[in-house]
Amino acid sequence: MAMATPAAFYRTRRLFSILSSATPCARPPNLAPEPTPAQKAADGEAEATPKAGRNRRNPLGKIMRVIFQERDPDKLVSQFIAASTASPRFRDIHRVYEVAVSRLVSFGRRDAAAALLDSQKPFLEASNEDFAVRIVRLYGRASMPSHAAATFLGLPPKHKSVTAFNAVLAAYVDTGDFDSLATALDEIPASQKAEPSAALDVISLMEKCGLTPDMVSFNSLLNGFYNNGRFDKAEKIWEMMKERNLQPNAKSYNAKLRGLVAEGRMEDAVAVIERMQKEGPKPDSVSYNELIRGYCREGRLDESKKVYEDLVKNGYAPNKGTFETLIPCLVEAGELDLALNCCQEIFNRKCRVKCSLLQAVVTALVAASRVEEARRIVKLGWKNNYSPRHLNIPALKGKDNNVDAETDCNDSVPYEEGSEEEVESKTA
């Protein structure tokens, strides 16, 4: 049998050492006689100097670094499986699962992601519902909806909840393959079947199975239908919500806005916003972002700027989606003053955006001979941990770039949450 490389052996050992030290073991009470004052003083001095290698404060960060450093997908999977098998504590760390699956998908290795998630199924029976939902959801994140459905069908009865079903629903919504969802769930026992033939039957199917659809269920279907231009089906979802006395929320209307904007129906989208302002629910940042996106797509920059002003005036916080939609349009139109103000807002609000967005503004400022303002953005970016490799003064790079980094930063942020719009479209 081939021996593991020294590097792989070292990383595995390191992972196990981190896990084994993550939580101190319980110790029996000390029954020794009360120490003298002199002994207490000596002990206090000893405790004041921690032993090297005994820092147990951030095991998650160390585990994440081990996973990030592994560039071989197969080794990443084997190390992950070994760690999850050895330690129940490891299985409680949500983020390490998400990062591992995300990295494997980025490598183009969905088979490896499937192997990693399949290895967790033996733990489903003894785990809680949260763990089961996580595994189902991650199959969807890896664009494997059929695996998500199969896992749901195989869950212990105690874990077959609406939340778990919604994770399956979201997986199929992301791919737009509704009919396959109905087919996949056709394995439900005959006594509970609703004979589904299309996505609209999914709600009836849930109710036949004793699951009460919630707003996440309906919003997932709305997102799926509107994203695929199936407005007639979406309208039936609204009717079903009304029949069940469910009040649509902002996410329901945002799904409709997204569909209208995608078809260039901006007047209809504005009408939806006006209705929300009058009748509720009130539009949120995502609602305004959809209008900004639509206007920018049509080259209507003045309307985009007006919507941005309304967003701020109405007390909503511009977010990642706002800036990443509006700033490129401002740069292209030469509206550098507003682009500069948006960059300042990004830093003031601690909003994490793509480094390339800031670099585009810097490059445009330098081209307009506004180098000092470009330097200010670069310096603020470095202070906020954007990489000097990717954020710099292009005309001075390697010559007279006097912008000094004042903080240490990595080449990139290892793991970054998606924008609010991305999260909303997946979680409804």
Side-chain angles (χ1 to χ4, degrees):
M1 183 177 71
M3 296 183 63
T5 64
F9 176 76
Y10 167 75
R11 287 174 181 156
T12 302
R13 286 289 302 275
R14 184 179 171 197
L15 197 56
F16 277 114
S17 67
I18 292 169
L19 291 168
S20 62
S21 64
T23 305
C25 297
R27 295 181 178 179
N30 185 7
L31 301 178
E34 181 74 11
T36 64
Q39 288 174 322
K40 287 183 178 180
D43 290 342
E45 292 178 0
E47 291 174 1
T49 306
K51 296 181 180 180
R54 296 295 295 275
N55 186 357
R56 301 172 176 175
R57 297 182 64 182
N58 189 20
L60 174 58
K62 295 178 182 179
I63 295 171
M64 298 287 281
R65 281 194 292 274
V66 170
I67 291 177
F68 277 122
Q69 290 169 0
E70 183 55 73
R71 299 294 178 182
D72 185 322
D74 295 316
K75 291 179 181 177
L76 191 158
V77 172
S78 63
Q79 292 173 4
F80 190 101
I81 292 175
S84 63
T85 301
S87 172
R89 292 192 298 274
F90 182 92
R91 299 195 294 273
D92 290 335
I93 306 174
H94 295 233
R95 194 178 174 198
V96 73
Y97 278 72
E98 294 175 356
V99 173
V101 170
S102 177
R103 282 181 59 76
L104 292 171
V105 171
S106 71
F107 290 144
R109 290 291 306 278
R110 285 187 171 80
D111 60 320
L116 185 152
L117 294 172
D118 289 346
S119 72
Q120 304 303 299
K121 290 183 179 179
F123 308 122
L124 288 171
E125 183 66 44
S127 299
N128 57 24
E129 179 189 337
D130 183 64
F131 181 82
V133 172
R134 185 197 321 165
I135 300 303
V136 173
R137 178 171 54 83
L138 287 174
Y139 277 120
R141 293 281 177 88
S143 298
M144 295 185 288
S146 61
H147 288 68
T151 302
F152 173 80
L153 292 171
L155 287 178
K158 61 181 180 180
H159 294 334
K160 285 187 176 179
S161 63
V162 175
T163 305
F165 190 94
N166 286 338
V168 179
L169 190 57
Y172 279 92
V173 165
D174 288 343
T175 62
D177 193 2
F178 296 105
D179 294 334
S180 293
L181 170 61
T183 302
L185 297 176
D186 196 48
E187 297 179 22
I188 291 176
S191 60
Q192 298 179 341
K193 280 187 180 179
E195 297 183 359
S197 57
L200 290 174
D201 294 319
V202 170
I203 297 299
S204 299
L205 175 63
M206 292 180 68
E207 292 170 337
K208 289 283 186 179
C209 296
L211 302 174
T212 302
D214 57 13
M215 284 307 303
V216 176
S217 312
F218 286 103
N219 286 345
S220 292
L221 288 171
L222 286 175
N223 271 304
F225 285 133
Y226 282 124
N227 289 346
N228 288 275
R230 298 165 71 173
F231 281 73
D232 55 335
K233 301 289 187 183
E235 288 305 315
K236 293 183 179 179
I237 295 297
W238 288 93
E239 293 173 7
M240 295 171 73
M241 293 166 60
K242 186 176 181 179
E243 291 170 359
R244 291 161 176 76
N245 295 318
L246 285 174
Q247 292 297 322
N249 55 25
K251 292 182 179 181
S252 310
Y253 285 98
N254 289 342
K256 187 171 188 175
L257 283 169
R258 198 171 295 118
L260 292 170
V261 167
E263 294 201 347
R265 297 166 57 181
M266 292 306 301
E267 285 67 28
D268 291 337
V270 171
V272 170
I273 291 285
E274 292 174 348
R275 177 181 175 182
M276 294 173 70
Q277 291 171 332
K278 291 179 181 178
E279 303 176 8
K282 295 296 182 183
D284 57 16
S285 297
V286 177
S287 312
Y288 288 106
N289 287 352
E290 293 301 336
L291 285 188
I292 293 173
R293 181 175 292 110
Y295 283 134
C296 284
R297 185 178 298 167
E298 295 186 358
R300 298 162 67 177
L301 184 58
D302 288 340
E303 287 95 331
S304 296
K305 291 161 58 178
K306 177 65 168 59
V307 174
Y308 177 75
E309 292 171 2
D310 289 343
L311 184 154
V312 176
K313 187 194 309 180
N314 291 328
Y316 296 103
N319 56 25
K320 173 185 171 77
T322 312
F323 296 122
E324 292 191 349
T325 300
L326 182 60
I327 289 178
C329 297
L330 296 173
V331 171
E332 184 178 354
E335 297 266 3
L336 298 185
D337 289 336
L338 184 51
L340 194 61
N341 289 339
C342 286
C343 288
Q344 189 62 55
E345 282 295 303
I346 287 171
F347 297 127
N348 291 343
R349 297 178 183 277
K350 303 296 181 184
C351 179
R352 193 80 194 175
V353 298
K354 296 175 182 177
C355 192
S356 59
L357 186 74
L358 300 175
Q359 183 62 58
V361 178
V362 169
T363 301
L365 288 169
V366 171
S369 300
R370 299 171 64 171
V371 178
E372 288 307 314
E373 291 166 304
R375 286 180 185 277
R376 188 164 73 247
I377 293 180
V378 170
K379 198 168 185 177
L380 286 170
W382 289 359
K383 282 183 178 180
N384 286 272
N385 294 326
Y386 287 91
S387 167
R389 180 182 299 178
H390 302 122
L391 181 61
N392 50 62
I393 305 294
L396 303 178
K397 186 178 180 182
K399 296 180 180 179
D400 186 29
N401 191 341
N402 295 322
V403 183
D404 297 322
E406 297 186 7
T407 60
D408 294 329
C409 57
N410 299 322
D411 288 344
S412 61
V413 178
Y415 182 76
E416 186 174 304
E417 297 294 338
S419 70
E420 186 176 345
E421 285 83 0
E422 293 169 340
V423 172
E424 178 171 308
S425 66
K426 290 181 178 180
T427 64

